[in-house]
């Protein structure tokens, strides 16, 4: 059974930092491209960051220079380090393995950026 477990969300002030984690099981993790998506209230889910099985990364323009995606294959875990957070980063963040069409999803973790 495939399972992705997101964690690390919370409430943070503007300019602060949070680190999200996603622990995967039931897949050959090292072979999967992994992604972080987010969905804000009333908006569509959007792709935030991706990392290939080889470690290449890609980011949405809105988070470039502030967010960093990484992976530790030995731990079957993907991370999202979020710095210089803004109120517009407020959303539920979802881990995804394998892409939005046919991949697997975590349950989501709430990130709220507010003073």
């Amino acid at each position: 059974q495939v399972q992705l477990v997101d964690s690390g969300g919370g409430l943070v002030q503007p300019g602060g930092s949070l680190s999200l984690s996603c622990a995967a099981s039931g897949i050959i993790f090292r072979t999967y491209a992994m992604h972080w998506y987010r969905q804000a209230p009333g908006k569509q889910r959007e792709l935030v960051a991706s990392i290939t099985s080889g470690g290449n990364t890609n980011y949405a323009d809105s988070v470039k220079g502030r967010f960093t995606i990484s992976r530790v294959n030995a731990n079957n875990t993907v991370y999202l380090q979020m710095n210089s957070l803004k109120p517009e980063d407020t959303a539920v963040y979802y881990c995804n393995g394998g892409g939005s069409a046919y991949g697997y999803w975590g349950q989501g973790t709430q990130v709220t950026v507010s003073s």
Side-chain angles (χ1 to χ4, degrees):
Q1 181 181 358
V2 177
Q3 192 172 21
L4 301 180
V5 180
D6 305 329
S7 62
L11 173 63
V12 64
Q13 292 187 343
S17 297
L18 278 176
S19 182
L20 306 184
S21 300
C22 171
S25 60
I27 59 173
I28 304 175
F29 180 80
R30 68 181 184 277
T31 68
Y32 273 71
M34 299 298 295
H35 315 276
W36 285 98
Y37 286 77
R38 68 186 180 187
Q39 187 166 19
K43 294 189 177 181
Q44 288 191 332
R45 192 171 294 190
E46 64 172 343
L47 178 61
V48 174
S50 299
I51 185 166
T52 68
S53 58
N56 294 318
T57 59
N58 197 33
Y59 299 92
D61 287 343
S62 59
V63 307
K64 274 182 185 175
R66 300 188 297 121
F67 290 12
T68 302
I69 188 171
S70 62
R71 64 190 299 158
V72 178
N73 289 339
N75 294 339
N76 287 357
T77 302
V78 61
Y79 303 93
L80 186 68
Q81 177 64 42
M82 305 185 294
N83 299 328
S84 302
L85 282 161
K86 305 175 181 180
E88 51 263 43
D89 295 318
T90 295
V92 179
Y93 284 70
Y94 297 90
C95 172
N96 170 278
S100 59
Y102 302 105
Y104 303 99
W105 293 93
Q107 82 284 2
T109 185
Q110 176 71 47
V111 172
T112 302
V113 185
S114 175
S115 55

